[in-house]
Amino acid sequence: MLKKAMSKAVAVAAAAPVLALTLAGSATASATANTVHWESARFPGKCLSWENDAFGNARLSNLRQCATSGPVDESQWREVSVDGKYWTFRPSRYATGGWTNMCLTSYNTLVYLETCQDGNWWQQWEEKWDGSNWRLQHRGAGNVAGYYLDTDGSRIYTEPGNNGLNQVWH
């Protein structure tokens, strides 16, 4: 996964214009969309996950065992490039087999899923690589702009960067 993510980051940073010309797609089916999962460095084997509620709607769940197979994989996300720097993350599949239109969202320090909206900064994340670790920085606005995706193992939230393992994902 790390190799795939590193390759993607290098390819996007170095060849975004070439990719855009070579793999041009519609706005809803971006050529720079990938399926990824984010495993917590603090809690190995546990991933950022989602689940279906009683009505079949995707919602954010607590960290769960990472998995990469099965008809519904609640630890996989479809990441879609907004502009080559920021990404949206959508649950990769739901019970009926299609992509969801829900996005990982943070408002203030709360993190949850809500219907995706073009241009919504509260749904945009920057994947930051520091040479050995990934951190997901929330775009946001106001006093919470630039907060990082964080977990204490039972909750998922955002807070200022602190170089702690709770903010490291791979």
Side-chain angles (χ1 to χ4, degrees):
M1 179 64 197
L2 184 56
K3 286 182 183 178
K4 178 182 175 190
M6 296 253 323
S7 297
K8 173 193 57 93
V10 171
V12 168
V18 174
L19 282 172
L21 291 173
T22 308
L23 302 172
S26 73
T28 58
S30 172
T32 55
N34 302 296
T35 301
V36 298
H37 76 270
W38 293 106
E39 182 178 352
S40 169
R42 170 72 72 196
F43 304 98
K46 300 290 185 176
C47 284
L48 179 66
S49 299
W50 59 277
E51 62 190 1
N52 286 316
D53 66 15
F55 303 101
N57 301 310
R59 66 182 177 123
L60 193 65
S61 71
N62 294 327
L63 292 180
R64 289 187 172 187
Q65 192 68 34
C66 299
T68 56
S69 63
V72 177
D73 179 0
E74 286 95 1
S75 67
Q76 286 193 16
W77 298 83
R78 181 171 174 84
E79 67 175 7
V80 179
S81 176
V82 174
D83 60 7
K85 179 177 181 180
Y86 293 101
W87 301 83
T88 59
F89 297 103
R90 303 166 188 232
S92 68
R93 291 176 276 193
Y94 61 97
T96 59
W99 299 107
T100 71
N101 191 35
M102 303 295 284
C103 283
L104 185 66
T105 305
S106 180
Y107 185 73
N108 290 328
T109 59
L110 301 174
V111 178
Y112 53 93
L113 292 175
E114 74 176 9
T115 302
C116 298
Q117 303 162 5
D118 289 341
N120 185 341
W121 282 18
W122 303 106
Q123 298 175 344
Q124 296 177 18
W125 303 84
E126 183 178 357
E127 299 173 338
K128 296 225 165 191
W129 176 250
D130 66 10
S132 57
N133 297 303
W134 288 102
R135 298 178 196 282
L136 300 175
Q137 187 175 32
H138 182 243
R139 187 171 191 176
N143 65 340
V144 295
Y147 276 26
Y148 288 83
L149 189 66
D150 202 315
T151 184
D152 62 9
S154 62
R155 298 175 303 127
I156 298 169
Y157 47 91
T158 59
E159 71 173 32
N162 59 27
N163 295 320
L165 277 180
N166 289 5
Q167 295 180 346
V168 174
W169 303 87
H170 50 265

